Amino acid sequence: MTADELEKYLKLIALVQQGFNALLPFLARLKSQGLETTEQILDHAEKANNEAKAIIDSL
Amino acid sequence: MLKQNKKKITALLLVSVMFLAACDPNKTRQLAKAEDNIAEAQKALATFLKDGVASGIISDAIVKNTFKPILLVVNSTNAEAITITRDWLTTGETPDKQSQLLLVIKKLGDEIVKLNNAGMLHIKDPAKRALFTGLVVALQGTIASVIIIVVKKG
């Protein structure tokens, strides 16, 4: 393997790692959704949407 | 090669999110899950932009004038979708509610396209841009799953 190829693979690994880190909260949430009722999921969605609004407002 | 792999990873993420959101047999439950995921994705995107400004990868003015207005529309549109789904859960499915929800989701889809274009244009660092695109694609996948849930029978 050439140094150039190795660098490309390292960049790819870093990218995959970043992607997984970004997706971890989603995956954790998907797991807990399985144990909740539809109303509870909707309540959580509303709460998360309001939390998102607060972060967006602070931009 | 890196570009091809990025496309494969993005496609895999899209398919995974669509599958996870659509694998529950109950329609309102699937919709609730998708709307919850859209809310979480907004949090991730807004936090990404906030960190981006703090670390200097994107300018504060661009975030305020370009990304913030789009995210505010996404946020209010998802709030609308949550309200419709709650109503759907209490009173049942009607063609009217289906149309209402599809209109809301179309609006959401249009905003996501704008968000993606803004990211392509303004996020110069390739790794950060790829991460932003990944989050946007996850959001697009969830929105696509909502359309499938709304129009499918049963």
Side-chain angles (χ1 to χ4, degrees):
Chain A
M1 187 184 288
T2 64
D4 195 35
E5 280 173 336
L6 184 66
E7 198 188 326
K8 279 180 186 171
Y9 280 115
L10 287 174
K11 275 185 185 168
L12 183 64
I13 291 166
L15 188 70
V16 171
Q17 197 176 13
Q18 279 186 325
F20 271 113
N21 286 343
L23 281 176
L24 274 178
F26 278 106
L27 297 174
R29 183 63 203 130
L30 283 169
K31 191 184 166 198
S32 53
Q33 277 177 348
L35 305 168
E36 293 172 358
T37 64
T38 305
E39 286 88 347
Q40 283 173 327
I41 299 170
L42 277 171
D43 288 344
H44 185 280
E46 209 168 327
K47 186 173 162 269
N49 211 57
N50 289 337
E51 284 167 1
K53 171 97 169 48
I55 306 171
I56 298 164
D57 281 339
S58 74
L59 289 175
Chain B
M1 185 197 72
L2 190 63
K3 203 172 180 181
Q4 281 176 331
N5 282 327
K6 270 186 205 170
K7 279 185 185 167
K8 280 181 194 166
I9 292 166
T10 307
L12 184 69
L13 288 176
L14 175 67
V15 171
S16 312
V17 171
M18 283 175 73
F19 174 76
L20 285 166
C23 63
D24 199 299
N26 181 303
K27 245 188 191 186
T28 43
R29 190 175 169 82
Q30 287 174 11
L31 289 170
K33 281 183 177 182
E35 287 150 6
D36 194 10
N37 294 340
I38 293 169
E40 291 293 341
Q42 287 175 68
K43 276 162 71 176
L45 279 165
T47 306
F48 171 89
L49 291 169
K50 202 172 180 169
D51 294 346
V53 171
S55 62
I57 64 150
I58 188 162
S59 91
D60 189 34
I62 285 172
V63 168
K64 271 194 172 61
N65 300 324
T66 308
F67 290 94
K68 190 176 173 177
I70 302 171
L71 281 174
L72 282 172
V73 177
V74 171
N75 188 268
S76 63
T77 310
N78 195 40
E80 253 183 276
I82 294 167
T83 306
I84 297 168
T85 304
R86 213 183 268 283
D87 187 34
W88 188 329
L89 182 68
T90 339
T91 57
E93 182 180 352
T94 63
D96 257 10
K97 278 185 204 112
Q98 267 193 349
S99 312
Q100 259 182 305
L101 202 53
L102 283 174
L103 274 176
V104 166
I105 293 305
K106 190 199 170 296
K107 195 171 156 191
L108 211 47
D110 291 345
E111 293 306 312
I112 300 308
V113 171
K114 286 185 203 169
L115 201 59
N116 193 37
N117 292 343
M120 288 292 146
L121 193 65
H122 298 295
I123 302 172
K124 306 292 180 200
D125 182 293
K128 296 287 177 196
R129 191 170 57 233
L131 185 56
F132 180 84
T133 306
L135 290 170
V136 172
V137 166
L139 197 48
Q140 274 174 329
T142 310
I143 290 165
S145 76
V146 173
I147 297 170
I148 296 166
I149 295 161
V150 174
V151 298
K152 78 174 181 186
K153 285 185 178 176

